[in-house]
Amino acid sequence: MLRVLAVDDEEPALEELLYLLRADPRIRGAEGATSATEALRRIGAALDAGSDDPAAVDVVFLDIHMAGLTGLDVARLLAGFAEPPLIVFVTAHEDFAVQAFDLKAVDYVLKPVRRERLAEAVRRVAELVGERAPVSAPAADQIAVELGGVTRFVAVDDIAYAEAQGDYARLHTDTGSHLVRIPLTTLEERWRARGFVRIHRRHLVALARIDELRLDAGAMSVRVGDAELAVSRRHARALRDLLMRQGGR
């Protein structure tokens, strides 16, 4: 959702632009300024307040011909800021387009403004603002997985066991499985403190999800839900000791 400042020294044109902007569902809020000086004051205050402040500005829809400072002057001044808002020029004049794009404008919309053309400018801005936004890292109790091209977060507590598949690991939950490009040894280090234990070179198991420990002709295995997983000789004694300690609590 975009936060917009529209700047035009002609109030009827400004009101029309604000009306169109506020009708777009991608815009959270749109405010107006009738001079370059007022616009710079508002933008400066917004940048000082930070991106999380209600007064923050993502994009400025900026007229070019204004009394005093022009829209191009405003854009040049904003270029000196570390993280300036994006700029879309809205003007009746075609002959400033080259200068506008030299100033890294996202778009150049000609007056009279058509709703469809303005919507295209908003779309371009929304895409760029989305690219600027930092990607949230999963919390320590979650892991990011890809599902159908979409990144989702799976709670570590929902994972019963992980299975090595080369440089990948398949995470098994009660509802399905997810393939992640993380070696099992890395998951073992990360999740040791969360109660996961290595029982085999291929398997890492949540200790609390082990339903049964089985011995058959000297071979050990565990039942985790519907799965029966072999325990290697190397890990058998440590696993048995852990389960004994857990059962004694």
Side-chain angles (χ1 to χ4, degrees), residues 55-100:
V57 176
D58 297 308
V59 57
V60 182
F61 283 78
L62 186 59
D63 188 22
I64 287 182
H65 273 299
M66 294 186 290
L69 293 174
T70 68
L72 294 172
D73 293 329
V74 172
R76 291 188 187 100
L77 289 168
L78 291 179
F81 288 91
E83 295 183 8
L86 300 173
I87 293 174
V88 173
F89 284 106
V90 182
T91 178
H93 303 277
E94 297 182 5
D95 45 343
F96 293 101
V98 173
Q99 295 179 61

Side-chain angles (χ1 to χ4, degrees), residues 118-134:
L118 188 64
E120 172 61 17
V122 172
R123 182 192 67 77
R124 293 179 182 180
V125 169
E127 286 184 356
L128 289 172
V129 169
E131 291 172 4
R132 280 181 167 188

Side-chain angles (χ1 to χ4, degrees), residues 141-164:
D141 57 355
Q142 295 178 317
I143 184 168
V145 300
E146 293 292 326
L147 186 62
V150 177
T151 300
R152 301 181 186 278
F153 296 119
V154 173
V156 175
D157 287 344
D158 289 341
I159 298 167
Y161 67 97
E163 179 181 6

